[in-house]
């Protein structure tokens, strides 16, 4: 007989499969819309959406999703995780249906915001249910599968979207969610056991309110700055105001006798270090995904479907290596595995500095595979370190913190690295468009897609403008890739200094205790 009995649920692996289905539909929606933007802008085949409306069709989802993640993680712990998962799936399916049949851009933006509410209810409880149905000795492997599903969804979103748009109307990229969600609701109801915090205590209403207001304001400022530049006062009012409210949240949580988040956890390295690591990795990775899509579709001329297929090696690496990371952590320790993963990620990001308009395209995909392999060995040990530092009944809090940091860092990565991309592009392309009339000169300087639109009206001068725009964009891409690599390299320092050096889970592992928290004060 085993010296330590397995305390996991008998149907835990079937439950994991259901949770992966629930997770896929949420993460897919973060990426699948990108390939439909050109179609949505078409007044005949789409909705005739403006550039600003297209940006908000994406960002309304991100804004609501990031703002509510933490709150819904806390409420899921209190009110029942299975209940929250079913509610989130139902809301996500309904809002997907509304998005598919939106009659104008305003309706689409509102429906997307409602999808963000459903997604925020789904995402944190998937990870907290894993922590509750798996024995600590198997939890790392299960989280590896969970992390692999995230990577898969990120990469196959553009492929699926491109395939749907080649055969169906634009609403199909949302309608595809409905049957998947319906299946998910049935399977969750049949297989997933209910769980909650047995001693929830009083609801920290002020803390919940402050977290929502602070995260929404911060995320809005990041998104708005990325779209229109960080030189405007209202951007910094939102960013600094959001940070001030989050600072108030931290001060309130420290004083409260029933906090929604014990912020003293951030003094404990095995919780704080992996949270920071998750943020840095997604900051760097989402910036590369952002400029990579433009590079493939404009500079290289690939279709949305072809571009999505070129990202598949990233997904393949996630599928291959993420489920195996738990065994690597047991053998070498979380610190070593995460450090090697970060090194691979940093090398891949730095190598994008040498990609140009004529680089063999297999090199781009090979770098994606290398980056995917690196991230597959970062996220599972980091996530497991976060989750193992909390007792099972508080799993929703750890999941919500991890996912909130990932979403905000991803939005920040797109905004900041997108701003670097835009600034360098405008500086580089300026001389080539100086002689153009003012209206089309401004459009060509604004973005590489604007330059392509202008070139369509220039006749014989078009090739010269396109070449200048491509060269300027590639140069800007190099700067953004370099910044991404620096951010990833900073993660290596954090790992080597603060991540646990031994396996983060053992049969007798215990979460953070009050004594450990007191010792960090």
């Amino acid at each position: 007989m085993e010296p330590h009995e397995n305390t996991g649920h008998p149907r835990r692996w079937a439950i994991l499969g259901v949770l992966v289905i629930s997770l896929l539909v949420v993460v897919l929606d973060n990426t699948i819309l990108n390939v439909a933007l050109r179609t949505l802008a078409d007044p005949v085949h789409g909705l005739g959406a403006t550039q600003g409306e297209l940006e908000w069709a994406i960002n309304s989802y991100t804004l609501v999703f990031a703002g509510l993640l933490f709150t819904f993680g806390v409420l899921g712990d209190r009110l029942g995780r299975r209940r929250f998962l079913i509610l989130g799936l139902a809301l996500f399916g309904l809002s997907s249906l509304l998005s598919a049949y939106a009659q104008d851009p305003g309706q689409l933006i509102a429906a997307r915001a409602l999808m963000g509410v459903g997604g925020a209810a789904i995402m944190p409880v998937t990870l907290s249910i894993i922590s509750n149905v798996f024995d600590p000795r198997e939890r790392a492997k299960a989280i590896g599968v969970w992390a692999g599903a995230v990577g898969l969804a990120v990469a196959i979103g553009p492929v699926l979207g491109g395939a749907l748009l080649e055969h169906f109307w634009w609403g199909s990229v949302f309608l595809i969610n409905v049957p998947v969600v319906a299946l998910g609701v049935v399977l969750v109801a049949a297989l997933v056991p209910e769980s909650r915090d047995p001693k929830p205590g009083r609801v920290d209403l002020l803390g919940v309110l402050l977290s929502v207001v602070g995260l929404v304001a911060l995320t809005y400022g990041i998104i708005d700055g990325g779209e229109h530049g960080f030189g405007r006062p209202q951007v910094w009012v939102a960013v600094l105001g959001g940070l001030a409210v989050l600072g108030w949240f931290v001060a309130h949580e420290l004083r409260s006798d029933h906090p929604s988040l014990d912020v003293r956890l951030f003094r404990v390295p095995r919780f704080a270090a992996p949270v920071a690591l998750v943020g840095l990795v997604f900051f760097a990775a989402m910036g590369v995904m952002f400029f990579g899509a433009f590079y493939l579709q404009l500079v290289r001329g690939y279709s949305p479907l072809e571009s999505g297929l070129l990202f598949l090696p990233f997904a393949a690496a996630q599928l291959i290596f993420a489920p195996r990371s738990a065994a690597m952590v047991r053998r070498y320790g979380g610190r070593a595995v995460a450090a090697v993963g970060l090194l691979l990620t940093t090398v891949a990001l730095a190598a994008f500095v040498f990609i140009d308009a004529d680089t063999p395209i297999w090199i781009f995909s090979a770098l994606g595979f290398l980056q995917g392999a690196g991230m597959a060995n970062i996220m599972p040990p980091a996530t497991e370190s976060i989750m193992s530092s909390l007792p099972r009944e508080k799993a929703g809090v750890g999941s919500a913190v991890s996912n909130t940091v990932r979403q905000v860092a991803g939005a920040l990565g797109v905004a900041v690295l997108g701003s670097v991309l835009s600034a360098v592009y405008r500086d580089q392309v300026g001389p080539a468009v100086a002689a153009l009339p003012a209206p089309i000169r401004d459009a060509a300087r604004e973005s590489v897609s604007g330059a392509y639109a202008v070139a369509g009206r220039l006749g014989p001068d078009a090739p010269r403008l396109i070449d200048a725009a491509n060269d300027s964009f590639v140069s800007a891409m190099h700067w953004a890739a370099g910044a991404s690599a620096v951010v990833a390299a900073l993660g290596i320092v954090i790992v080597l200094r603060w991540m646990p050096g031994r396996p983060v889970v053992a049969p007798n592992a215990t979460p953070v205790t009050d004594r450990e928290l007191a010792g960090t004060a």
Side-chain angles (χ1 to χ4, degrees):
M1 188 175 70
E2 290 184 357
H4 299 280
E5 183 181 356
N6 192 312
T7 60
H9 193 279
R11 297 194 304 268
R12 57 193 178 276
W13 294 106
I15 292 169
L16 179 61
V18 176
L19 297 177
V20 165
I21 292 173
S22 304
L23 179 69
L24 280 174
V25 73
V26 176
V27 182
L28 271 174
D29 199 74
N30 276 316
T31 58
I32 198 171
L33 180 60
N34 290 326
V35 300
L37 294 179
R38 288 188 179 182
T39 306
L40 287 169
D42 190 316
V44 177
H45 302 290
L47 297 176
T50 66
Q51 181 67 27
E53 289 168 338
L54 291 175
E55 290 169 349
W56 275 109
I58 295 175
N59 293 331
S60 61
Y61 179 92
T62 303
L63 184 66
V64 175
F65 188 69
L68 293 178
L69 266 172
F70 173 74
T71 296
F72 281 4
V74 172
L75 293 179
D77 279 346
R78 182 182 181 85
L79 302 177
R81 299 180 182 107
R82 184 178 70 167
R83 179 181 302 170
F84 244 69
L85 182 54
I86 291 174
L87 177 65
L89 284 168
L91 186 58
F92 197 89
L94 174 62
S95 51
S96 295
L97 193 63
L98 294 174
S99 297
Y101 291 101
Q103 299 300 303
D104 58 58
Q107 290 182 16
L108 178 62
I109 291 168
R112 289 277 297 165
L114 190 60
M115 290 177 76
V117 178
I122 295 167
M123 176 70 90
V125 296
T126 59
L127 196 51
S128 55
I129 290 171
I130 288 174
S131 291
N132 274 270
V133 301
F134 278 90
D135 185 278
R137 290 166 293 177
E138 292 182 321
R139 186 169 54 202
K141 183 178 180 181
I143 288 176
V145 174
W146 181 91
V150 173
L152 172 66
V154 167
I156 68 174
V159 179
L160 180 59
L164 288 170
L165 289 172
E166 285 197 356
H167 298 93
F168 306 102
W169 102 112
W170 63 266
S172 62
V173 301
F174 301 111
L175 201 60
I176 190 67
N177 293 335
V178 177
V180 179
V181 164
L183 176 63
V185 168
V186 172
L187 292 176
V188 169
L191 293 175
V192 177
E194 185 60 282
S195 63
R196 55 171 59 87
D197 186 345
K199 299 178 182 178
R202 289 182 292 159
V203 177
D204 179 18
L205 291 177
L206 179 58
V208 166
L209 178 63
L210 291 175
S211 71
V212 172
V213 172
L215 285 170
V216 167
L218 176 61
T219 309
Y220 175 84
I222 290 168
I223 290 171
D224 193 44
E227 290 174 2
H228 306 296
F230 285 89
R232 297 175 305 124
Q234 55 264 45
V235 171
W236 290 105
V237 168
V239 170
L240 296 179
L243 290 173
V245 173
L246 290 175
W248 183 7
F249 167 75
V250 170
H252 168 74
E253 296 298 281
L254 284 171
R255 293 193 303 268
S256 176
D257 59 0
H258 57 287
S260 54
L261 171 64
D262 190 347
V263 295
R264 295 177 300 166
L265 284 167
F266 288 96
R267 299 170 179 166
V268 179
R270 62 183 166 124
F271 181 88
V275 167
L277 183 57
V278 166
L280 291 173
V281 167
F282 271 82
F283 179 99
M286 292 308 293
V288 170
M289 295 286 285
F290 176 75
F291 71 65
F294 283 97
Y295 169 78
L296 291 173
Q297 291 190 40
L298 292 175
V299 177
R300 301 305 295 263
Y302 291 102
S303 70
L305 177 57
E306 291 168 335
S307 299
L309 290 171
L310 288 167
F311 278 114
L312 278 183
F314 175 87
Q318 293 275 313
L319 286 175
I320 293 169
F321 294 107
R324 291 169 172 78
S325 64
M328 300 294 288
V329 170
R330 285 195 299 270
R331 183 169 183 179
Y332 300 108
R335 179 191 299 161
V337 172
V340 171
L342 272 165
L343 181 61
L344 293 175
T345 303
T346 302
V347 169
L349 295 175
F352 278 108
V353 173
F354 303 100
I355 295 287
D356 58 33
D358 301 314
T359 301
I361 202 62
W362 68 265
I363 295 179
F364 180 94
S365 292
L367 292 178
F369 184 87
L370 185 64
Q371 182 185 350
M375 290 184 65
N377 286 290
I378 297 169
M379 297 309 299
T383 305
E384 168 58 15
S385 183
I386 294 169
M387 300 306 292
S388 66
S389 65
L390 296 170
R392 284 187 177 188
E393 62 270 15
K394 298 290 186 182
V397 174
S399 173
V401 169
S402 174
N403 285 303
T404 300
V405 168
R406 180 167 62 221
Q407 288 297 317
V408 173
L412 185 60
V414 171
V416 173
L417 296 175
S419 295
V420 170
L421 194 76
S422 297
V424 176
Y425 171 81
R426 286 194 294 266
D427 182 65
Q428 295 285 325
V429 84
V433 302
L436 296 174
I440 63 174
R441 180 177 67 239
D442 292 342
R445 286 186 73 246
E446 185 63 27
S447 67
V448 64
S449 56
Y452 270 72
V454 167
R457 292 177 279 171
L458 289 183
D461 292 330
R464 186 162 55 88
L465 174 59
I466 288 175
D467 288 342
N470 285 345
D471 290 342
S472 300
F473 179 82
V474 168
S475 178
M477 184 179 78
H478 292 165
W479 280 91
S484 297
V486 170
V487 171
L490 178 60
I492 298 177
V493 176
I494 291 175
V495 166
L496 295 178
R497 176 63 180 85
W498 288 291
M499 275 282 284
R502 294 177 181 176
V504 295
V505 174
N508 59 349
T510 57
V512 174
T513 62
D514 289 338
R515 178 181 295 179
E516 187 175 357
L517 288 172
T520 63

